[in-house]
Amino acid sequence: MDKRSTPLSRVLRQAGGPGVLDALTERLSGADLTTLLLEVMRRRSRRLSPADVLRRYGHDRFVAPAPIPFARLRRAEDAVLSVLPDDVELITPAPVAPLGTHAVLGPVDQNNVVSTIRNSEVAADPTNALALEAAVRRRADPSRPVRLAAVQRVVRAQQVEGAASYAHFTLFALVTAGRDTGDLAFEREHAAEHLAIMTAAVRACGEADPQARVTVLDERFERVAAELDAAPDPGRSGGRGYYKGLCFKVYGKGLEVGDGGFVDWTARLLGNRKERLIISGLGVDRLS
């Protein structure tokens, strides 16, 4: 495609040229950019009428209510939480995270996240926020593993087609952070634990026979996979480059409902290659 015809090029021409983008991204501090964008949004909002707001509400996929009845969704949330071990701490993440949380850790394209004008972004995956909290706690006390869970409504900007696919939805997330103790001991223990919790949660939602499939991304993790109650899935393409060593999927109610694996997020956040982290999540809307 001719770069001169891209939407960004067209906008930059209207705004005064490519130098505008350089000024906004490189020359302004984060605080100054926020000041500028706040004023832009204040002025634009003053031009709106009640009819404009109602019109936007009627066609913006990000702001429509969830299509699943509240009672059904709440029953699924309660069922999932009922299987959590007592030593997993359930927390309530903020609805926004620091700018770059998903792109820097993920990696996830920033265009697939709803960025705000206050150097933050709307939560797109609670495992990212839980990883940040786990890193803070591991830094304060590296002698103890951290086990956190959350249920959170999240928003994702990319268009997704298929059954039970929405712009905003509820995820159950579980993370375990600790230190490498050798012999893949952390990995073997917590991969089995996460899969057991995920499949138990699916059963609690009424699926009698949830299925788990595991993909080995590093041959050293073959022995970890061999100890899991999961079928091999060597052909999986999604998640490569996101997960490290090993990842898995969980299926129930005829759909893929869960996903998880090992990531290097806490190692990078804390600058310590010995840090270990496993994350997993379930789509509560799909389970309901």
Side-chain angles (χ1 to χ4, degrees):
M1 178 185 291
D2 186 346
K3 291 184 178 180
R4 291 174 299 177
S5 65
T6 65
L8 177 59
S9 297
R10 175 181 55 79
V11 172
L12 289 177
R13 286 197 300 271
Q14 292 178 333
V20 173
L21 186 59
D22 293 336
L24 294 176
T25 57
E26 298 175 12
R27 293 202 290 273
L28 289 182
S29 68
D32 287 347
L33 179 61
T34 297
T35 298
L36 174 63
L37 293 178
L38 284 172
E39 180 61 18
V40 169
M41 291 301 127
R42 187 182 72 85
R43 293 189 183 192
R44 292 180 71 91
S45 67
R46 289 173 59 184
R47 296 166 53 190
L48 297 174
S49 68
D52 293 327
V53 175
L54 183 60
R55 189 178 306 110
R56 183 62 181 264
Y57 180 79
H59 73 259
D60 189 332
R61 64 192 178 93
F62 294 119
V63 302
I68 298 175
F70 173 84
R72 282 175 52 192
L73 194 60
R74 183 55 183 269
R75 283 196 299 269
E77 292 176 0
D78 290 341
V80 168
L81 294 178
S82 71
V83 306
L84 269 184
D86 292 339
D87 58 351
V88 175
E89 182 180 350
L90 189 65
I91 69 172
T92 303
V96 294
L99 182 67
T101 294
H102 301 85
V104 172
L105 295 181
V108 174
D109 192 310
Q110 192 65 32
N111 286 343
N112 292 336
V113 179
V114 179
S115 304
T116 80
I117 62 174
R118 293 180 181 270
N119 281 313
S120 60
E121 59 195 39
V122 180
D125 190 330
T127 60
N128 295 73
L130 293 180
L132 291 175
E133 181 63 22
V136 169
R137 297 188 184 199
R138 288 286 299 158
R139 183 171 57 191
D141 184 1
S143 67
R144 300 177 58 187
V146 176
R147 305 171 76 210
L148 301 173
V151 172
Q152 187 176 39
R153 197 80 184 167
V154 301
V155 178
R156 293 187 183 172
Q158 71 266 42
Q159 290 278 2
V160 180
E161 304 296 334
S165 298
Y166 314 116
H168 62 87
F169 49 92
T170 300
L171 288 176
F172 164 74
L174 176 68
V175 306
T176 304
R179 186 173 178 83
D180 175 28
T181 57
D183 197 33
L184 292 174
F186 176 93
E187 290 82 355
R188 290 156 58 198
E189 175 184 356
H190 295 296
E193 178 186 54
H194 274 234
L195 263 182
I197 292 173
M198 294 295 114
T199 53
V202 176
R203 288 192 190 93
C205 290
E207 173 58 66
D209 188 28
Q211 303 293 316
R213 300 177 190 171
V214 62
T215 301
V216 175
L217 305 172
D218 181 331
E219 62 181 12
R220 295 177 303 149
F221 284 72
E222 292 283 2
R223 58 186 301 207
V224 179
E227 298 178 9
L228 300 177
D229 184 16
D233 185 15
R236 171 176 173 168
S237 57
R240 296 179 183 270
Y242 187 92
Y243 293 111
K244 310 294 181 182
L246 177 147
C247 57
F248 54 83
K249 288 184 180 291
V250 179
Y251 298 83
K253 297 184 179 290
L255 296 168
E256 177 190 325
V257 295
D259 190 68
F262 294 98
V263 293
D264 61 359
W265 300 350
T266 48
R268 291 159 56 203
L269 287 165
L270 297 173
N272 187 334
R273 295 170 59 186
K274 289 290 188 179
E275 287 294 318
R276 296 291 182 265
L277 181 69
I278 182 171
I279 66 173
S280 55
L282 287 173
V284 180
D285 294 60
R286 292 188 173 193
L287 290 171
S288 64

